[in-house]
């Protein structure tokens, strides 16, 4: 999925910067990998599926929702890039079935927490000491507007995990700011990705309806999107690239919402 790019990218802006983007083979993660690589960064990325031509310099096949997977990714990144300057935790998502709270088993809750919260917590624990040693770094946690605007049909556990991620991100910023490491969160609303389309299909299957009805159901539950459409992954990547760049050098402990106006309050 692409949008026409109408602005120039400075191909030197991230020259030599060593970057890890988790979940960088699809959706927003892939767009972030492409954006930072186009700006000169040396990018490592991860996914569970084998590499299918990622533009990243280093691809690590691993499940970052497990302790071992996170450890493999951290070690391979430090070895492969020779250190780390920027970490973007883009991995996340929900595979929960429709049916509200009663459909969410303990297993599902644990899976959602492992993917949407603990993957970032574990990778930070492994990688941040490298940043502390060099006295610099930038971290972005990709959260979701659902942490403030949770939907009840299938994503209660996901929304709760993202709320925890945003709170964790803020707490980490307080500890790392004085050490020269900037920590921020980016909270997208609906993004046009294969994952969000898969959720539409799951909800349609659960309700015995069609995809258009399920899509409209999500729009209604969100209260509509004032700009009239979901964001494109490239639009999320542009925001992330700004937040980790030196242009944002005083931005720290913040959460940027990118939702086309979905959150209805100030
Ligand atoms: N899409 C939306 O509407 C939306 C809205 C708000 C927030 N967000 C957030 O934005 C971020 C990106 O979402 P997206 O929809 O762009 O994602 P996506 O299209 O589903 O892509 C997910 C990426 O992560 C990888 N991945 C998934 N599970 C993994 C695991 N356990 N270990 C390693 N890699 C894994 C996937 O590859 P494999 O499948 O091969 O592992 C893929 O590269 C997520 O944090 C999501 O919660 C998305």
């Amino acid at each position: 999925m692409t949008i026409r790019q109408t602005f120039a990218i400075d191909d030197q802006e991230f020259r030599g910067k060593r970057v890890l983007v988790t979940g960088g083979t699809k959706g927003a993660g892939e767009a972030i990998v492409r954006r930072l690589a186009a700006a000169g960064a040396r990018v490592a990325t991860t996914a569970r599926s084998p590499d299918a031509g990622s533009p990243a310099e280093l691809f690590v096949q691993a499940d970052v929702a497990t302790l071992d997977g996170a450890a493999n990714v951290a070690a391979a990144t430090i070895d492969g890039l020779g250190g780390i300057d920027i970490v973007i935790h883009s991995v996340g998502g929900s595979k929960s079935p429709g049916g509200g709270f009663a459909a969410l088993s303990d297993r599902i809750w644990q899976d959602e927490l492992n993917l949407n919260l603990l993957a970032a917590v574990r990778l930070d624990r492994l990688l941040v000491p490298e940043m502390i040693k060099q006295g610099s770094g930038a971290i972005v946690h990709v959260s979701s507007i659902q942490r403030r605007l949770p939907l009840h049909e299938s994503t209660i556990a996901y929304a709760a995990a993202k709320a925890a991620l945003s709170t964790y991100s803020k707490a980490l910023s307080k500890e790392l700011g004085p050490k020269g490491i900037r920590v921020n969160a980016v909270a997208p609303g609906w993004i046009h990705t294969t994952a969000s389309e898969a959720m539409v299909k799951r909800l349609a299957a659960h309700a015995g309806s069609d995809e258009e009805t399920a899509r409209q159901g999500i729009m209604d539950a969100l209260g509509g999107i004032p700009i009239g459409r979901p964001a494109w992954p490239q639009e999320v990547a542009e925001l992330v690239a700004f937040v980790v760049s030196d242009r944002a050098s005083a931005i720290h402990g913040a959460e940027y919402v990118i939702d086309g106006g979905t959150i209805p309050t100030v």
Side-chain angles (χ1 to χ4, degrees), residues 22-32 45-50 59-66 69 73 89-95 114-116 119 141-146 158 162 165 186-197 199 230-231 233 236 258:
T22 64
T25 61
K26 295 178 203 148
E30 180 189 8
I32 295 165
T45 197
T46 68
R48 292 161 304 173
S49 322
F59 175 80
V60 188
Q61 187 179 2
D63 181 352
V64 297
T66 67
V73 168
H89 299 279
S90 185
V91 88
S94 176
K95 289 217 169 65
N114 274 328
L115 183 65
N116 292 293
H141 299 105
V142 179
S143 185
S144 165
I145 60 165
Q146 285 214 45
Y158 169 78
K162 290 296 196 184
L165 180 69
V186 164
W190 193 350
I191 315 169
H192 222 306
T193 64
T194 42
S196 60
E197 283 305 298
M199 185 172 88
V236 176
I258 173 164

Short mmCIF file of all heavy atoms in Angstrom, two decimals, residues 22-32 45-50 59-66 69 73 89-95 114-116 119 141-146 158 162 165 186-197 199 230-231 233 236 258, ligand 1:
data_model
loop_
_atom_site.label_atom_id
_atom_site.label_comp_id
_atom_site.label_asym_id
_atom_site.label_seq_id
_atom_site.Cartn_x
_atom_site.Cartn_y
_atom_site.Cartn_z
N THR A 22 11.17 -2.92 15.27
CA THR A 22 10.56 -4.25 15.41
C THR A 22 9.33 -4.32 14.52
O THR A 22 8.65 -3.31 14.28
CB THR A 22 10.17 -4.54 16.88
OG1 THR A 22 9.17 -3.61 17.29
CG2 THR A 22 11.38 -4.47 17.80
N GLY A 23 9.05 -5.53 14.03
CA GLY A 23 7.86 -5.71 13.19
C GLY A 23 7.91 -4.87 11.94
O GLY A 23 6.94 -4.20 11.57
N GLY A 24 9.05 -4.95 11.22
CA GLY A 24 9.26 -4.02 10.11
C GLY A 24 9.06 -4.61 8.73
O GLY A 24 9.60 -4.08 7.76
N THR A 25 8.26 -5.67 8.61
CA THR A 25 8.06 -6.24 7.26
C THR A 25 6.67 -5.96 6.70
O THR A 25 6.38 -6.32 5.56
CB THR A 25 8.29 -7.77 7.26
OG1 THR A 25 7.36 -8.38 8.15
CG2 THR A 25 9.72 -8.10 7.68
N LYS A 26 5.80 -5.39 7.52
CA LYS A 26 4.44 -5.07 7.05
C LYS A 26 3.99 -3.76 7.70
O LYS A 26 4.57 -3.33 8.70
CB LYS A 26 3.44 -6.16 7.49
CG LYS A 26 3.66 -7.51 6.90
CD LYS A 26 2.63 -8.50 7.47
CE LYS A 26 3.13 -9.92 7.36
NZ LYS A 26 2.67 -10.78 8.43
N GLY A 27 2.94 -3.21 7.16
CA GLY A 27 2.24 -2.09 7.80
C GLY A 27 3.13 -0.91 8.15
O GLY A 27 4.05 -0.54 7.41
N ALA A 28 2.85 -0.33 9.32
CA ALA A 28 3.58 0.87 9.74
C ALA A 28 5.06 0.57 9.91
O ALA A 28 5.91 1.40 9.55
CB ALA A 28 2.98 1.39 11.04
N GLY A 29 5.40 -0.60 10.45
CA GLY A 29 6.81 -0.95 10.68
C GLY A 29 7.59 -0.94 9.37
O GLY A 29 8.71 -0.41 9.30
N GLU A 30 7.02 -1.54 8.34
CA GLU A 30 7.71 -1.57 7.04
C GLU A 30 7.92 -0.14 6.52
O GLU A 30 9.00 0.20 6.01
CB GLU A 30 6.91 -2.37 6.02
CG GLU A 30 7.61 -2.42 4.68
CD GLU A 30 6.77 -3.02 3.56
OE1 GLU A 30 5.56 -3.26 3.78
OE2 GLU A 30 7.32 -3.22 2.47
N ALA A 31 6.89 0.69 6.65
CA ALA A 31 7.01 2.08 6.18
C ALA A 31 8.10 2.82 6.96
O ALA A 31 8.83 3.63 6.39
CB ALA A 31 5.66 2.79 6.32
N ILE A 32 8.22 2.51 8.26
CA ILE A 32 9.25 3.18 9.08
C ILE A 32 10.65 2.72 8.63
O ILE A 32 11.58 3.52 8.50
CB ILE A 32 9.02 2.89 10.59
CG1 ILE A 32 7.70 3.53 11.05
CG2 ILE A 32 10.19 3.41 11.42
CD1 ILE A 32 7.19 3.02 12.40
N THR A 45 15.70 -5.04 11.32
CA THR A 45 14.29 -5.27 11.63
C THR A 45 14.04 -6.75 11.91
O THR A 45 14.91 -7.60 11.73
CB THR A 45 13.36 -4.74 10.53
OG1 THR A 45 12.05 -4.64 11.09
CG2 THR A 45 13.31 -5.64 9.31
N THR A 46 12.81 -7.01 12.38
CA THR A 46 12.45 -8.36 12.82
C THR A 46 11.06 -8.72 12.32
O THR A 46 10.23 -7.84 12.06
CB THR A 46 12.32 -8.41 14.36
OG1 THR A 46 11.18 -7.61 14.74
CG2 THR A 46 13.54 -7.88 15.05
N ALA A 47 10.84 -10.02 12.19
CA ALA A 47 9.49 -10.56 11.98
C ALA A 47 9.57 -12.05 12.27
O ALA A 47 10.69 -12.60 12.36
CB ALA A 47 9.01 -10.32 10.55
N ARG A 48 8.43 -12.69 12.42
CA ARG A 48 8.44 -14.15 12.62
C ARG A 48 8.60 -14.87 11.29
O ARG A 48 9.23 -15.91 11.21
CB ARG A 48 7.13 -14.60 13.29
CG ARG A 48 6.98 -14.13 14.72
CD ARG A 48 5.55 -14.19 15.15
NE ARG A 48 4.71 -13.40 14.22
CZ ARG A 48 3.40 -13.34 14.24
NH1 ARG A 48 2.73 -14.02 15.14
NH2 ARG A 48 2.74 -12.61 13.37
N SER A 49 8.04 -14.32 10.21
CA SER A 49 8.14 -14.97 8.89
C SER A 49 9.54 -14.74 8.33
O SER A 49 10.18 -13.75 8.68
CB SER A 49 7.13 -14.37 7.92
OG SER A 49 5.92 -14.10 8.57
N PRO A 50 9.98 -15.61 7.41
CA PRO A 50 11.30 -15.41 6.79
C PRO A 50 11.35 -14.11 6.01
O PRO A 50 10.31 -13.58 5.59
CB PRO A 50 11.43 -16.60 5.84
CG PRO A 50 10.35 -17.54 6.18
CD PRO A 50 9.29 -16.81 6.94
N PHE A 59 18.16 -8.37 8.85
CA PHE A 59 16.85 -8.94 9.18
C PHE A 59 17.06 -10.07 10.18
O PHE A 59 17.87 -10.95 9.96
CB PHE A 59 16.16 -9.49 7.92
CG PHE A 59 14.87 -10.19 8.23
CD1 PHE A 59 13.71 -9.48 8.46
CD2 PHE A 59 14.83 -11.58 8.35
CE1 PHE A 59 12.52 -10.13 8.79
CE2 PHE A 59 13.66 -12.23 8.68
CZ PHE A 59 12.50 -11.50 8.89
N VAL A 60 16.28 -10.03 11.29
CA VAL A 60 16.38 -11.09 12.29
C VAL A 60 15.02 -11.77 12.41
O VAL A 60 14.04 -11.12 12.80
CB VAL A 60 16.79 -10.52 13.68
CG1 VAL A 60 17.07 -11.66 14.64
CG2 VAL A 60 17.97 -9.58 13.57
N GLN A 61 15.00 -13.05 12.05
CA GLN A 61 13.73 -13.78 12.16
C GLN A 61 13.57 -14.25 13.61
O GLN A 61 14.36 -15.06 14.09
CB GLN A 61 13.73 -14.97 11.21
CG GLN A 61 12.38 -15.66 11.17
CD GLN A 61 12.35 -16.84 10.20
OE1 GLN A 61 13.36 -17.17 9.57
NE2 GLN A 61 11.20 -17.47 10.09
N ALA A 62 12.58 -13.72 14.30
CA ALA A 62 12.40 -14.07 15.72
C ALA A 62 11.00 -13.65 16.16
O ALA A 62 10.39 -12.76 15.56
CB ALA A 62 13.43 -13.34 16.57
N ASP A 63 10.53 -14.31 17.20
CA ASP A 63 9.26 -13.92 17.82
C ASP A 63 9.58 -13.04 19.01
O ASP A 63 9.99 -13.54 20.07
CB ASP A 63 8.51 -15.19 18.25
CG ASP A 63 7.17 -14.87 18.88
OD1 ASP A 63 6.89 -13.66 19.12
OD2 ASP A 63 6.40 -15.80 19.15
N VAL A 64 9.39 -11.73 18.86
CA VAL A 64 9.78 -10.81 19.93
C VAL A 64 8.79 -10.82 21.09
O VAL A 64 9.02 -10.16 22.10
CB VAL A 64 10.00 -9.35 19.45
CG1 VAL A 64 11.14 -9.26 18.47
CG2 VAL A 64 8.74 -8.75 18.89
N ALA A 65 7.72 -11.59 20.95
CA ALA A 65 6.78 -11.72 22.07
C ALA A 65 7.28 -12.73 23.10
O ALA A 65 6.61 -12.97 24.10
CB ALA A 65 5.40 -12.11 21.56
N THR A 66 8.43 -13.34 22.85
CA THR A 66 9.03 -14.27 23.82
C THR A 66 10.34 -13.70 24.33
O THR A 66 11.00 -12.91 23.64
CB THR A 66 9.33 -15.64 23.17
OG1 THR A 66 10.38 -15.46 22.20
CG2 THR A 66 8.09 -16.22 22.48
N GLY A 69 13.20 -14.76 22.03
CA GLY A 69 13.15 -14.01 20.77
C GLY A 69 13.72 -12.61 20.95
O GLY A 69 14.52 -12.13 20.14
N VAL A 73 17.09 -11.01 19.15
CA VAL A 73 17.03 -9.77 18.36
C VAL A 73 18.03 -8.74 18.91
O VAL A 73 18.77 -8.11 18.14
CB VAL A 73 15.60 -9.19 18.36
CG1 VAL A 73 15.58 -7.77 17.81
CG2 VAL A 73 14.67 -10.09 17.56
N HIS A 89 9.74 0.58 18.55
CA HIS A 89 8.97 -0.62 18.87
C HIS A 89 7.65 -0.52 18.12
O HIS A 89 6.66 0.01 18.63
CB HIS A 89 8.69 -0.68 20.37
CG HIS A 89 9.93 -0.75 21.21
ND1 HIS A 89 10.62 -1.93 21.44
CD2 HIS A 89 10.62 0.21 21.88
CE1 HIS A 89 11.66 -1.69 22.21
NE2 HIS A 89 11.68 -0.40 22.49
N SER A 90 7.65 -1.05 16.89
CA SER A 90 6.42 -0.97 16.10
C SER A 90 5.61 -2.24 16.22
O SER A 90 4.42 -2.26 15.92
CB SER A 90 6.75 -0.70 14.62
OG SER A 90 5.58 -0.50 13.89
N VAL A 91 6.25 -3.33 16.65
CA VAL A 91 5.51 -4.60 16.70
C VAL A 91 4.29 -4.45 17.61
O VAL A 91 4.33 -3.73 18.61
CB VAL A 91 6.44 -5.73 17.19
CG1 VAL A 91 6.45 -5.87 18.70
CG2 VAL A 91 6.08 -7.04 16.54
N GLY A 92 3.21 -5.07 17.22
CA GLY A 92 1.99 -4.99 18.03
C GLY A 92 0.80 -5.37 17.19
O GLY A 92 0.92 -5.57 15.97
N GLY A 93 -0.32 -5.50 17.83
CA GLY A 93 -1.53 -5.87 17.11
C GLY A 93 -2.38 -6.77 17.98
O GLY A 93 -2.03 -7.06 19.13
N SER A 94 -3.51 -7.17 17.42
CA SER A 94 -4.43 -8.01 18.19
C SER A 94 -5.01 -9.10 17.31
O SER A 94 -5.40 -8.83 16.17
CB SER A 94 -5.57 -7.14 18.73
OG SER A 94 -6.50 -7.97 19.39
N LYS A 95 -5.03 -10.30 17.86
CA LYS A 95 -5.67 -11.40 17.15
C LYS A 95 -6.89 -11.88 17.91
O LYS A 95 -7.42 -12.96 17.66
CB LYS A 95 -4.69 -12.56 17.01
CG LYS A 95 -3.56 -12.30 16.04
CD LYS A 95 -3.22 -13.61 15.29
CE LYS A 95 -2.29 -13.36 14.13
NZ LYS A 95 -0.97 -12.89 14.56
N ASN A 114 2.13 -9.93 26.02
CA ASN A 114 3.49 -10.26 25.55
C ASN A 114 3.84 -9.46 24.31
O ASN A 114 4.95 -8.95 24.18
CB ASN A 114 3.60 -11.76 25.25
CG ASN A 114 3.95 -12.55 26.49
OD1 ASN A 114 4.65 -12.08 27.37
ND2 ASN A 114 3.45 -13.77 26.56
N LEU A 115 2.89 -9.37 23.37
CA LEU A 115 3.19 -8.71 22.10
C LEU A 115 3.18 -7.18 22.23
O LEU A 115 4.05 -6.50 21.70
CB LEU A 115 2.16 -9.15 21.05
CG LEU A 115 2.37 -8.59 19.64
CD1 LEU A 115 3.68 -9.12 19.05
CD2 LEU A 115 1.21 -8.96 18.72
N ASN A 116 2.19 -6.65 22.93
CA ASN A 116 1.96 -5.20 22.91
C ASN A 116 2.63 -4.43 24.05
O ASN A 116 2.70 -3.21 24.01
CB ASN A 116 0.46 -4.92 22.91
CG ASN A 116 -0.18 -5.35 21.60
OD1 ASN A 116 0.08 -4.76 20.57
ND2 ASN A 116 -1.00 -6.41 21.64
N ALA A 119 7.17 -7.18 24.86
CA ALA A 119 8.21 -7.19 23.82
C ALA A 119 9.06 -5.92 23.93
O ALA A 119 10.30 -5.98 23.90
CB ALA A 119 7.58 -7.29 22.43
N HIS A 141 7.85 4.17 21.28
CA HIS A 141 6.92 3.07 21.51
C HIS A 141 5.66 3.35 20.71
O HIS A 141 5.02 4.39 20.92
CB HIS A 141 6.57 2.94 23.00
CG HIS A 141 7.77 2.66 23.86
ND1 HIS A 141 8.35 3.61 24.66
CD2 HIS A 141 8.52 1.54 24.00
CE1 HIS A 141 9.40 3.07 25.28
NE2 HIS A 141 9.52 1.82 24.89
N VAL A 142 5.32 2.45 19.79
CA VAL A 142 4.10 2.65 19.01
C VAL A 142 2.92 2.08 19.81
O VAL A 142 2.79 0.88 20.01
CB VAL A 142 4.19 1.99 17.62
CG1 VAL A 142 2.88 2.22 16.86
CG2 VAL A 142 5.37 2.59 16.83
N SER A 143 2.12 3.00 20.32
CA SER A 143 0.96 2.64 21.14
C SER A 143 -0.27 2.64 20.25
O SER A 143 -0.20 2.22 19.08
CB SER A 143 0.86 3.64 22.30
OG SER A 143 -0.17 3.28 23.17
N SER A 144 -1.39 3.13 20.74
CA SER A 144 -2.62 3.19 19.94
C SER A 144 -3.58 4.14 20.62
O SER A 144 -3.57 4.27 21.85
CB SER A 144 -3.27 1.80 19.88
OG SER A 144 -4.62 1.91 19.42
N ILE A 145 -4.45 4.79 19.83
CA ILE A 145 -5.47 5.63 20.48
C ILE A 145 -6.39 4.78 21.33
O ILE A 145 -7.09 5.31 22.20
CB ILE A 145 -6.30 6.47 19.48
CG1 ILE A 145 -7.04 5.59 18.47
CG2 ILE A 145 -5.45 7.53 18.82
CD1 ILE A 145 -8.15 6.32 17.72
N GLN A 146 -6.37 3.46 21.11
CA GLN A 146 -7.23 2.61 21.95
C GLN A 146 -6.81 2.65 23.42
O GLN A 146 -7.57 2.24 24.29
CB GLN A 146 -7.24 1.17 21.44
CG GLN A 146 -8.07 1.02 20.19
CD GLN A 146 -8.76 -0.32 20.13
OE1 GLN A 146 -9.34 -0.80 21.10
NE2 GLN A 146 -8.70 -0.94 18.98
N TYR A 158 -5.97 -5.81 24.11
CA TYR A 158 -5.03 -4.99 23.32
C TYR A 158 -5.01 -3.56 23.85
O TYR A 158 -3.94 -2.98 24.08
CB TYR A 158 -5.49 -5.03 21.87
CG TYR A 158 -4.84 -4.06 20.93
CD1 TYR A 158 -3.56 -4.29 20.43
CD2 TYR A 158 -5.50 -2.90 20.50
CE1 TYR A 158 -2.97 -3.40 19.54
CE2 TYR A 158 -4.92 -2.02 19.61
CZ TYR A 158 -3.65 -2.27 19.14
OH TYR A 158 -3.06 -1.40 18.25
N LYS A 162 -1.84 -1.58 25.49
CA LYS A 162 -1.31 -0.33 24.94
C LYS A 162 -1.33 0.78 26.00
O LYS A 162 -0.44 1.64 26.02
CB LYS A 162 -2.10 0.10 23.71
CG LYS A 162 -1.88 -0.80 22.48
CD LYS A 162 -0.45 -0.76 21.97
CE LYS A 162 -0.36 -1.31 20.56
NZ LYS A 162 1.04 -1.38 20.08
N LEU A 165 1.63 0.22 27.91
CA LEU A 165 2.82 0.60 27.13
C LEU A 165 3.05 2.12 27.20
O LEU A 165 4.18 2.58 27.39
CB LEU A 165 2.66 0.14 25.68
CG LEU A 165 3.83 0.47 24.75
CD1 LEU A 165 5.07 -0.36 25.11
CD2 LEU A 165 3.46 0.21 23.28
N VAL A 186 4.12 7.12 20.05
CA VAL A 186 3.28 7.56 18.93
C VAL A 186 2.03 6.68 18.99
O VAL A 186 2.12 5.45 19.06
CB VAL A 186 4.02 7.40 17.59
CG1 VAL A 186 3.05 7.46 16.41
CG2 VAL A 186 5.08 8.49 17.45
N ALA A 187 0.87 7.34 19.00
CA ALA A 187 -0.39 6.60 19.14
C ALA A 187 -1.24 6.77 17.89
O ALA A 187 -1.94 7.78 17.74
CB ALA A 187 -1.15 7.08 20.38
N PRO A 188 -1.18 5.81 16.97
CA PRO A 188 -2.02 5.92 15.78
C PRO A 188 -3.48 5.56 16.07
O PRO A 188 -3.79 4.80 16.99
CB PRO A 188 -1.43 4.88 14.81
CG PRO A 188 -0.13 4.43 15.42
CD PRO A 188 -0.28 4.65 16.90
N GLY A 189 -4.34 6.13 15.24
CA GLY A 189 -5.71 5.63 15.15
C GLY A 189 -5.70 4.55 14.07
O GLY A 189 -4.67 3.89 13.85
N TRP A 190 -6.78 4.42 13.39
CA TRP A 190 -6.89 3.37 12.37
C TRP A 190 -5.88 3.63 11.25
O TRP A 190 -5.84 4.71 10.65
CB TRP A 190 -8.30 3.38 11.81
CG TRP A 190 -8.65 2.17 10.99
CD1 TRP A 190 -7.80 1.20 10.53
CD2 TRP A 190 -9.95 1.80 10.55
NE1 TRP A 190 -8.50 0.26 9.83
CE2 TRP A 190 -9.81 0.59 9.82
CE3 TRP A 190 -11.21 2.37 10.68
CZ2 TRP A 190 -10.89 -0.05 9.23
CZ3 TRP A 190 -12.29 1.73 10.09
CH2 TRP A 190 -12.14 0.54 9.39
N ILE A 191 -5.04 2.61 10.98
CA ILE A 191 -4.08 2.68 9.86
C ILE A 191 -4.53 1.65 8.82
O ILE A 191 -4.94 0.54 9.17
CB ILE A 191 -2.63 2.32 10.28
CG1 ILE A 191 -2.23 3.00 11.58
CG2 ILE A 191 -1.64 2.69 9.18
CD1 ILE A 191 -0.90 2.45 12.15
N HIS A 192 -4.38 2.03 7.56
CA HIS A 192 -4.73 1.14 6.45
C HIS A 192 -3.65 0.07 6.32
O HIS A 192 -2.65 0.28 5.65
CB HIS A 192 -4.71 2.00 5.18
CG HIS A 192 -5.84 1.69 4.28
ND1 HIS A 192 -6.10 0.42 3.84
CD2 HIS A 192 -6.77 2.49 3.73
CE1 HIS A 192 -7.15 0.47 3.05
NE2 HIS A 192 -7.58 1.71 2.98
N THR A 193 -3.78 -1.08 6.98
CA THR A 193 -2.76 -2.13 6.88
C THR A 193 -3.45 -3.48 6.68
O THR A 193 -4.66 -3.61 6.88
CB THR A 193 -1.93 -2.24 8.18
OG1 THR A 193 -2.80 -2.63 9.23
CG2 THR A 193 -1.25 -0.93 8.53
N THR A 194 -2.62 -4.48 6.34
CA THR A 194 -3.20 -5.83 6.21
C THR A 194 -3.76 -6.29 7.55
O THR A 194 -4.75 -7.01 7.60
CB THR A 194 -2.12 -6.83 5.72
OG1 THR A 194 -0.91 -6.55 6.41
CG2 THR A 194 -1.88 -6.72 4.24
N ALA A 195 -3.12 -5.87 8.66
CA ALA A 195 -3.60 -6.29 9.99
C ALA A 195 -4.97 -5.71 10.28
O ALA A 195 -5.86 -6.41 10.80
CB ALA A 195 -2.61 -5.86 11.05
N SER A 196 -5.17 -4.42 9.96
CA SER A 196 -6.49 -3.84 10.27
C SER A 196 -7.56 -4.43 9.35
O SER A 196 -8.70 -4.62 9.76
CB SER A 196 -6.45 -2.31 10.22
OG SER A 196 -6.10 -1.84 8.94
N GLU A 197 -7.17 -4.79 8.12
CA GLU A 197 -8.13 -5.45 7.23
C GLU A 197 -8.47 -6.85 7.74
O GLU A 197 -9.61 -7.31 7.64
CB GLU A 197 -7.59 -5.50 5.80
CG GLU A 197 -7.69 -4.17 5.08
CD GLU A 197 -9.12 -3.59 5.05
OE1 GLU A 197 -10.01 -4.24 4.48
OE2 GLU A 197 -9.35 -2.52 5.63
N MET A 199 -8.58 -7.69 10.86
CA MET A 199 -9.52 -7.51 11.98
C MET A 199 -10.93 -7.31 11.46
O MET A 199 -11.89 -7.86 12.00
CB MET A 199 -9.10 -6.33 12.85
CG MET A 199 -9.98 -6.19 14.08
SD MET A 199 -9.39 -4.96 15.24
CE MET A 199 -10.18 -3.51 14.62
N PRO A 230 -8.77 6.20 7.18
CA PRO A 230 -7.66 5.81 8.05
C PRO A 230 -6.37 6.46 7.56
O PRO A 230 -6.30 6.95 6.42
CB PRO A 230 -7.58 4.28 7.85
CG PRO A 230 -8.85 3.87 7.20
CD PRO A 230 -9.33 5.06 6.41
N ALA A 231 -5.33 6.44 8.39
CA ALA A 231 -4.00 6.95 7.97
C ALA A 231 -3.31 5.90 7.12
O ALA A 231 -3.57 4.69 7.25
CB ALA A 231 -3.15 7.24 9.21
N PRO A 233 0.27 3.93 6.25
CA PRO A 233 1.48 3.61 7.02
C PRO A 233 2.58 4.66 6.83
O PRO A 233 3.30 5.00 7.78
CB PRO A 233 1.92 2.25 6.44
CG PRO A 233 0.65 1.64 5.94
CD PRO A 233 -0.19 2.78 5.44
N VAL A 236 2.29 7.55 9.20
CA VAL A 236 2.77 7.22 10.56
C VAL A 236 4.30 7.24 10.58
O VAL A 236 4.93 7.76 11.50
CB VAL A 236 2.22 5.84 11.00
CG1 VAL A 236 2.78 5.44 12.35
CG2 VAL A 236 0.69 5.86 11.03
N ILE A 258 -1.84 10.25 16.04
CA ILE A 258 -2.01 10.45 14.59
C ILE A 258 -3.24 9.64 14.20
O ILE A 258 -3.17 8.43 13.96
CB ILE A 258 -0.73 10.08 13.80
CG1 ILE A 258 -0.98 10.13 12.29
CG2 ILE A 258 -0.11 8.76 14.23
CD1 ILE A 258 0.29 10.17 11.44
N1 LIG B 1 -3.23 -1.02 12.00
C1 LIG B 1 -3.87 -0.17 12.78
O1 LIG B 1 -4.98 0.27 12.48
C2 LIG B 1 -3.23 0.31 14.07
C3 LIG B 1 -3.92 1.26 14.84
C4 LIG B 1 -3.31 1.74 16.01
C5 LIG B 1 -2.07 1.26 16.40
N2 LIG B 1 -1.44 0.33 15.61
C6 LIG B 1 -0.13 -0.15 16.09
O2 LIG B 1 0.83 0.13 15.07
C7 LIG B 1 1.85 -0.88 15.11
C8 LIG B 1 2.00 -1.47 13.72
O3 LIG B 1 0.77 -2.06 13.37
P1 LIG B 1 0.48 -2.57 11.88
O4 LIG B 1 -0.99 -2.76 11.78
O5 LIG B 1 1.18 -1.70 10.94
O6 LIG B 1 1.17 -4.01 11.96
P2 LIG B 1 1.13 -5.22 10.89
O7 LIG B 1 0.80 -4.71 9.54
O8 LIG B 1 0.32 -6.32 11.49
O9 LIG B 1 2.65 -5.69 10.91
C9 LIG B 1 3.14 -6.31 12.05
C10 LIG B 1 4.60 -6.57 11.85
O10 LIG B 1 5.14 -7.16 13.04
C11 LIG B 1 5.61 -8.48 12.76
N3 LIG B 1 5.30 -9.28 13.92
C12 LIG B 1 4.06 -9.55 14.41
N4 LIG B 1 4.15 -10.30 15.51
C13 LIG B 1 5.48 -10.48 15.73
C14 LIG B 1 6.22 -11.14 16.73
N5 LIG B 1 5.60 -11.80 17.72
N6 LIG B 1 7.56 -11.13 16.66
C15 LIG B 1 8.19 -10.47 15.65
N7 LIG B 1 7.55 -9.81 14.69
C16 LIG B 1 6.21 -9.82 14.73
C17 LIG B 1 4.90 -8.90 11.48
O11 LIG B 1 5.59 -9.89 10.74
P3 LIG B 1 5.25 -11.46 11.00
O12 LIG B 1 3.78 -11.59 10.95
O13 LIG B 1 5.98 -12.18 9.92
O14 LIG B 1 5.80 -11.77 12.36
C18 LIG B 1 4.90 -7.56 10.74
O15 LIG B 1 6.17 -7.28 10.21
C19 LIG B 1 1.40 -1.89 16.17
O16 LIG B 1 2.03 -1.62 17.38
C20 LIG B 1 -0.08 -1.65 16.28
O17 LIG B 1 -0.61 -2.03 17.53
C21 LIG B 1 -1.98 -0.15 14.47
#
